[in-house]
Amino acid sequence: MVFRDRWRWLALAIFASSSSILVLAHGLLAGGSGTTATILILSTAGLFLVADCRSIEHDFCDFCFVAFAGYVALSVALHPLPDFRELVLLALALLCYPAGRLFKISVLDSIFPTVTLAIATIGCIAVLTAFLNGNISPLGKPEVFGELAAAPTQFMLPYVLAVGMLLVQEKIAMDWRVAALIAALAAIYAAAMVRFTFVAALGAGAVLAVARSWAIRRRIIIAGLMLVAAIAIGQVSRLSTALKFGGMAAYSIRSGAPIDPNCAHIELFNSIEVRKTLYRDWLRLILGSNDLTGIGLDGFMKHTCYPENEVHNDVLQVALEFGWPAAGLFVFLIAMAFVRLARAMSDERARFGLFALSFLVLMSMAHGRVSRDYPLFFFIGYAMQFAASAAPRATKSAAETSI
């Protein structure tokens, strides 16, 4: 059983790091759309290859997901089709729910944080290389491989999940060098002006702090203080750029610009202002829509001042593009996932799922796009293995995991 669990955790580590692997493949191997499709399909297929299909017991939430997926399919069928690639990506995202539902493990395994931290470290080296080569965008962010300013945020996903697994365990022997590596990566990513990802990570840690174990709470507090210190060091190391970002944030808080449906003035560099405009566009569109099946996948992008951007919020996107009934089912599934994980807090597997789900839901509120949020759908499915009426029996497992 433990041997099979190790293979499952390895498959999940590759899956959770797939966006980082895509960035590395694009920059190091000049990979194109074919490489992207191959990595996404294989990493998702790997989860099904190691899935446990024998012990599955369907319940009400599974039928709710089927209803949600069916409603999404109906909306797609009734509206103009988007690019075929987006349909494939959406189908892969929906497949991640059953992949998570079939991810039955009895123990946590150190191979997950080992692999994900290794990939995050390689990504960090790429970020440092961009700094050293002077590949800095006009806004001050490092352009990894000369063009990818969003890469540091992608690299941080496996990093945060790795740290989350280390935090949820009752007892763990962590080498001081691993702790130093975690702190160093945080400082470098903070210097790359990654912002909301740290907020989401700290928020997920706060959710996890409701655990009954004082040992876990103490570890979370220490980790949180270390993270804040590392962020401060990273920001101070590029103080002028940090102040620039701080000034833009302050301007956005004070700014109350009216809705501009003609897109006469749009902000290209202030991400907070961009999101404010996206939310205004969403409000205008949702108030003008009376179709219960929404306006179709990627319909928002046809009517916003930023046609290359979705609304960056999964719930808002689902409500507008697939309709309110789909949004209701989507929110219900997320809520039930939280309830089931919270009720099983005595189990470290559930604690890991709660941390991961909290982080991914928070990320989906600022960076979300339904056809890209594979880990979110996976962990919603993962949560459903914890019975609604009783938590699964806690196992001995990774109380003795070391890294």
Side-chain angles (χ1 to χ4, degrees):
M1 177 63 74
V2 174
F3 180 75
R4 290 197 296 269
D5 284 349
R6 168 152 288 206
W7 280 104
R8 287 169 185 152
W9 283 116
L10 176 60
L12 181 58
I14 295 171
F15 169 80
S17 306
S18 58
S19 60
S20 300
I21 294 172
L22 283 174
V23 173
L24 295 172
H26 178 81
L28 298 175
L29 305 176
S33 58
T35 302
T36 299
T38 300
I39 292 173
L40 291 177
I41 292 172
L42 289 180
S43 62
T44 306
L47 292 174
F48 284 100
L49 187 64
V50 297
D52 181 1
C53 302
R54 295 170 298 177
S55 59
I56 186 71
E57 295 180 3
H58 300 294
D59 65 15
F60 178 70
C61 289
D62 295 327
F63 295 115
C64 287
F65 174 77
V66 172
F68 169 74
Y71 205 94
V72 168
L74 176 65
S75 173
V76 170
L78 293 178
H79 295 91
L81 294 178
D83 182 76
F84 178 74
R85 182 182 65 174
E86 290 304 316
L87 292 177
V88 174
L89 293 175
L90 177 62
L92 279 175
L94 294 176
L95 279 173
C96 290
Y97 175 92
R101 192 71 175 84
L102 298 171
F103 191 79
K104 297 295 184 69
I105 38 86
S106 59
V107 297
L108 302 184
D109 196 292
S110 62
I111 195 170
F112 179 84
T114 299
V115 172
T116 48
L117 274 179
I119 293 173
T121 302
I122 295 171
C124 200
I125 294 172
V127 172
L128 283 174
T129 302
F131 278 129
L132 294 175
N133 292 338
N135 294 328
I136 309 295
S137 72
L139 191 58
K141 291 186 175 184
E143 295 183 323
V144 178
F145 301 120
E147 56 179 326
L148 303 174
T153 300
Q154 309 257 8
F155 293 142
M156 272 203 70
L157 173 60
Y159 166 83
V160 172
L161 294 179
V163 174
M165 179 173 282
L166 297 176
L167 290 176
V168 304
Q169 301 174 45
E170 291 284 355
K171 298 178 182 178
I172 181 170
M174 186 187 301
D175 192 292
W176 68 267
R177 289 167 292 189
V178 176
L181 173 64
I182 290 172
L185 293 181
I188 294 169
Y189 285 131
M193 297 300 130
V194 176
R195 295 168 294 168
F196 186 79
T197 307
F198 283 114
V199 174
L202 290 170
V207 172
L208 190 62
V210 303
R212 299 183 183 92
S213 168
W214 168 242
I216 293 177
R217 289 178 184 171
R218 180 177 58 191
R219 190 182 301 137
I220 291 171
I221 292 171
I222 294 173
L225 292 174
M226 288 179 58
L227 183 61
V228 170
I231 293 171
I233 292 172
Q235 294 278 293
V236 170
S237 69
R238 303 185 67 219
L239 186 58
S240 60
T241 303
L243 291 174
K244 181 194 300 184
F245 276 90
M248 289 189 294
Y251 168 80
S252 296
I253 293 172
R254 297 192 305 266
S255 174
I259 298 175
D260 180 14
N262 297 317
C263 304
H265 173 73
I266 60 174
E267 175 62 60
L268 295 177
F269 298 109
N270 189 333
S271 62
I272 300 177
E273 283 296 301
V274 169
R275 281 169 173 77
K276 286 170 64 176
T277 301
L278 292 173
Y279 293 155
R280 290 166 181 158
D281 288 342
W282 177 87
L283 183 61
R284 169 175 53 83
L285 291 169
I286 200 73
L287 291 177
S289 174
N290 57 5
D291 191 336
L292 287 178
T293 60
I295 63 175
L297 179 62
D298 288 350
F300 174 82
M301 300 172 68
K302 301 173 184 176
H303 302 284
T304 178
C305 294
Y306 297 92
E308 298 299 320
N309 289 270
E310 262 293 350
V311 69
H312 287 314
N313 183 303
D314 280 352
V315 173
L316 299 186
Q317 182 187 354
V318 170
L320 177 63
E321 296 186 352
F322 303 137
W324 287 108
L329 288 167
F330 185 54
V331 171
F332 174 78
L333 287 166
I334 292 174
M336 286 305 301
F338 275 115
V339 168
R340 294 193 176 194
L341 292 169
R343 287 180 175 177
M345 284 288 284
S346 60
D347 190 322
E348 62 190 12
R349 299 168 299 171
R351 291 196 295 269
F352 173 65
L354 183 62
F355 177 89
L357 185 65
S358 301
F359 171 68
L360 293 167
V361 167
L362 288 171
M363 288 294 290
S364 77
M365 296 296 103
H367 295 281
R369 185 171 180 180
V370 174
S371 57
R372 303 288 198 282
D373 280 341
Y374 315 114
L376 175 60
F377 281 99
F378 173 88
F379 278 101
I380 293 174
Y382 174 93
M384 299 311 174
Q385 68 181 276
F386 297 91
S389 58
R393 182 172 55 85
T395 56
K396 187 177 178 183
S397 88
E400 292 138 14
T401 300
S402 63
I403 180 173

